[in-house]
Amino acid sequence: MTAENLALSPELLEAVRRISGTEHLLVALDFDGTLSPIVDRAEDARPLPRSAAALAELAELPRTTTALISGRALDSLRLVASPPAKTLLIGSHGAEVWLGEGSLGLELDEDQRKKLAAVREVLAEIVNIAPGTVLEDKPAGVVLHTRMADDDVAEDAVEAATRVLSEHPGVYLKTGKRVLETSVVHASKGEAVEFLRQATGATAILFAGDDVTDEDALGRLMDNDVGIKVGLDFIQAQYRVEAPVHVAELLEALLRERRRVTSPA
């Protein structure tokens, strides 16, 4: 093992070598906490330079598709991630999909728009009395961010929002790291992974993510796929790395192996 791979286990490196030989590889990644370190202000997030460079090179390789699967709205994801032109984008936990020019945007019907307005009203009332909490609007939902709030305030805010919104039919809730996600469209990263597998014709998928919502995607992977959990908790993923800096090492290792496999003899 070389010094640059000390953070990656021998088992993970072997899995990278194995999956690099697949006919059509899909590299699907979460953004916040995976390509980018977690930050207090969502708009300040940026991918680590090494990860961004490796992703850009992977996107140009033959028989290789790259994708970002994020809870962010697509506009926000594009702004902070500056993804390679060929990288497919899934936003709002799967509610928004961009597969290239001509992709249609998300359109809510009248009933969904009314539900969304009601959700925002509930969350706005909570934010008004919970210091340090803020709202983020998305095309199909509203996010309650509690990262800058005191722990007890954050807990009370999420509990109150969950209690009230659980009584609203057609409103879907997801909890993450110091966030409560709401949506009037049912979607998950697991469904996004399965959709991308079919849309791209991928014969194997490498997926990495750090948050609770990424468990949906990790749980949909098949035997020949590779799932990586970023962080100290270890649930459904086969493998683990500790932090986004190690994701950079992972992508660089994958790039070396995939380039070797796809380069003309």
Side-chain angles (χ1 to χ4, degrees):
M1 186 185 306
T2 62
E4 63 189 349
N5 286 328
L6 286 177
L8 307 182
S9 70
E11 294 80 11
L12 177 52
L13 287 172
E14 178 56 35
V16 166
R17 283 190 284 270
R18 171 181 58 79
I19 201 171
S20 293
T22 197
E23 176 62 24
H24 191 122
L25 176 63
L26 171 61
V27 182
L29 304 166
D30 173 47
F31 180 74
D32 294 282
T34 300
L35 288 179
S36 166
I38 294 292
V39 294
D40 287 339
R41 290 161 45 92
E43 61 269 30
D44 293 337
R46 294 295 184 274
L48 293 178
R50 287 171 58 192
S51 292
L55 183 67
E57 292 192 56
L58 282 164
E60 295 298 327
L61 293 182
R63 298 183 284 110
T64 306
T65 301
T66 56
L68 298 183
I69 304 178
S70 176
R72 287 178 179 264
L74 282 186
D75 286 347
S76 172
L77 182 59
R78 288 191 182 98
L79 178 64
V80 298
S82 299
K86 295 182 180 180
T87 295
L88 309 182
L89 303 177
I90 304 290
S92 301
H93 298 284
E96 296 182 275
V97 176
W98 186 84
L99 300 182
E101 295 300 326
S103 293
L104 299 177
L106 176 66
E107 291 289 341
L108 301 182
D109 61 29
E110 182 62 25
D111 183 55
Q112 289 171 323
R113 287 193 291 271
K114 289 180 179 178
K115 290 177 181 177
L116 183 56
V119 167
R120 198 183 197 293
E121 184 176 347
V122 168
L123 293 180
E125 290 179 359
I126 291 173
V127 166
N128 284 338
I129 60 173
T133 64
V134 295
L135 297 185
E136 176 192 358
D137 289 302
K138 294 184 179 180
V142 184
V143 184
L144 173 64
H145 289 273
T146 64
R147 190 170 300 281
M148 294 184 289
D150 292 340
D151 289 347
D152 57 339
V153 173
E155 183 177 345
D156 289 346
V158 170
E159 181 182 350
T162 301
R163 183 176 64 253
V164 175
L165 293 177
S166 294
E167 299 178 358
H168 287 227
V171 175
Y172 306 96
L173 307 179
K174 296 178 186 291
T175 55
K177 294 179 179 178
R178 304 290 295 223
V179 298
L180 175 67
E181 301 262 2
T182 73
S183 178
V184 295
V185 174
H186 183 269
S188 74
K189 290 186 178 182
E191 292 169 336
V193 162
E194 292 191 337
F195 169 77
L196 285 176
R197 189 193 302 275
Q198 296 178 1
T200 63
T203 51
I205 298 174
L206 182 143
F207 176 83
D210 76 304
D211 210 342
V212 176
T213 56
D214 295 307
E215 295 295 328
D216 292 334
L218 292 166
R220 302 288 184 99
L221 298 181
M222 299 181 177
D223 290 342
N224 62 328
D225 300 328
V226 173
I228 301 111
K229 181 76 171 186
V230 184
L232 298 178
D233 50 337
F234 188 97
I235 306 178
Q236 295 195 62
Q238 303 154 284
Y239 307 99
R240 178 177 65 84
V241 297
E242 291 188 14
V245 66
H246 305 130
V247 175
E249 297 180 16
L250 169 70
L251 293 177
E252 290 168 348
L254 179 64
L255 176 61
R256 287 192 295 272
E257 293 294 329
R258 187 62 175 168
R259 182 185 285 141
R260 179 180 58 81
V261 170
T262 59
S263 296

